[in-house]
Amino acid sequence: MRNPSIIIGLIMLALIVLLAMAGPAVVQQLLFPGERPGMRGSYRPYQLDSPQHPIGTDGDGRDGLMVFISSIGPSLQIGLIAGATSTSLGVVIGFLAGYARGRLDTLARILIDMVLVIPTLPLLLMLAAYIERWDLYKLSLILGIFGWSFVARVIRPQVQSLRERSYVDLAVLSGENPLEIIFLELLPPLLPYIGYVFSLSIVGSMLAEAGLQIIGLGAGGLPTLGFMIAKGFRESVIAIGLIGQMLLPAGALIYVFLALNLINTGLDEVFNPRLKTTIEGGD
Amino acid sequence: MTADSSSVALTNEQQTAERREVFQYVLRRFGVYLFTLWAAITVAFFIFRLVPGDPMNILLGNITRAEGRQRDAAEQEVIIARYRKIFGVDDPLPLQYVNYLRKAILGGLDLGPSFVEYPAQTKDLVFRRMPWTIGIFTTSVLLAWLVGTGLGALIGWLQRSRLSQLAVVISTLLQITPVYLVALGLIIYVGYTWRILPAGGPYARHLQPEWTWEFISSLLTHAILPMLSNMIVIGAGFTLGMRALMISVLGEDYLTFARAKGLSPYTVLKDYAFRNALIPQVTALAIIVGATLNGTFIIEVLFQLPGLGTLFVQAMGLRDFNTMQAVVLFSIFAVLTLTLIVDLALPLLDPRVRRTA
């Protein structure tokens, strides 16, 4: 895998994972030895940027940088767990639906369409309001369960279209059984697409989570990047002059999405060599 | 291409058979549509009922707050009992469900009274708010799709030029930015810091809805930022999607063959590359509908537009089942119907997706 996009994407991702894991401890050691920068009321709220507080303090009297650094981890975890859940569910169902003909296909399609059209945002909002204390896993699983239908919906037509191609007919004629056809003929060309969908699901889950927070009925008190942005918007931190408290979490979200996107693009080129030859050899 | 030439050679009998097949496909697809609609509504109904929390207590709390005095327990009981009767929540759940469906279908979309603006009918409330959501949603999605598809096809075709590489980088950055961050950015910078365009509310506060130029222009200027937020993100997505599709189509053998035949680049682009890349792009339009509707709801809330998203959030605070359900019903209906349209249009575009059972 010497693809530059993948390498850059992976490095970017590794860096932010490192920041999420080691960041809080490092900031604590370097800037606030013996203090509790993440505790409410540790400092005077809404202090402007200073050497002591590089992006100021937030409305609860916590250090902004500390809040930011410790918000990254939960956001990433939510994306990963939810993305993995929805992709695995979606790929299995999408393949079943796309490969099967007749009644099973119809059934699977009805199921997919049904779940797909139940709008997730209102339901998530409702769940968010009813469930008193969200834990991270509960939220991730729920996001994942709401997300599989999208994966299945996009995988199914791909499988269906591939299945109609002549090389698959040839494989059928040469006596391959359905499992062989699925794993040897249909899955390989779709791998980049599945990787792409996985990455999209991660992004989608992180998006949904942050969206919930921003619309203002967020998952009670989960310290994520979305929560920080939502809080910043509600407290108009930009008007106060604490631009960093909005831009850093927003930037971090976009950074993660960019890293995933690069990995995506790279995967596409590695698994689908035609893309590359077209780019290099096309006129 | 092969499909076109072979259909010319079809006998009458084959044509009739093919037509019957298409008819059956449409019929089956429509049946599936109705079933899905029913199933989704049913699931939504029970999800809303199964979560704990009594809306009546919240309603009572509001009445108390509005009147500014505490009632005694007996009086509260009476009030709660009265409202429970009005909203029909005393019946057992299956009966509630049957009543709900009966009224919704036979009663001309009678979805019961709303708490949000009691005693206004939920139906009226939804119809009053709907134009905002539909307006922002359809305008921005269609514009984004048109711009994105055209731009993407162009970038994909000119894949090696500097300009198209720059366009890819820019659209990638825009596409990965969440729509609400774009909205927040526009509100904060364009709306409040630079004060170029209004960034909150449906129209200027001193105006009344009427057919005057002043009102309409106010309406339009207020709509620019919400639509722009949606358009930027979705449009960039469509651009990249179309570009990727173009590139993969350009790698196909029949394209090499078309070039080798000596067809003009324009013909190759228009009839061979663009048309084939367009099929998944239409599917993408259907898929994005649900997500975009979610995004539109968030945008409404952020820009304080009186659409369905805002209505839902209001209803949410009061546990107003009827209204929440009506909004969800609308979303389900919208997404399903658009998917149906796309699915029915797809076989027209792609002979490969033909239902041969």
Side-chain angles (χ1 to χ4, degrees), chain B residues 49 54-56 80-81 83-93 96 115 321-322:
Chain B
R49 291 300 191 282
D54 189 348
M56 297 309 151
I80 288 185
Y83 278 106
R84 288 188 73 88
K85 204 165 157 45
I86 295 175
F87 288 96
V89 285
D90 277 332
D91 302 328
L93 209 51
Q96 280 187 43
F115 299 174
F321 280 139
N322 287 344

Side-chain angles (χ1 to χ4, degrees), chain A residues 67-104:
Chain A
V67 174
F68 165 64
I69 296 265
S70 31
S71 301
I72 301 172
S75 283
L76 290 177
Q77 270 173 292
I78 291 174
L80 199 66
I81 301 174
T85 312
S86 52
T87 309
S88 25
L89 281 172
V91 165
V92 170
I93 296 171
F95 260 82
L96 278 180
Y99 188 75
R101 292 164 198 248
R103 208 163 287 169
L104 191 59

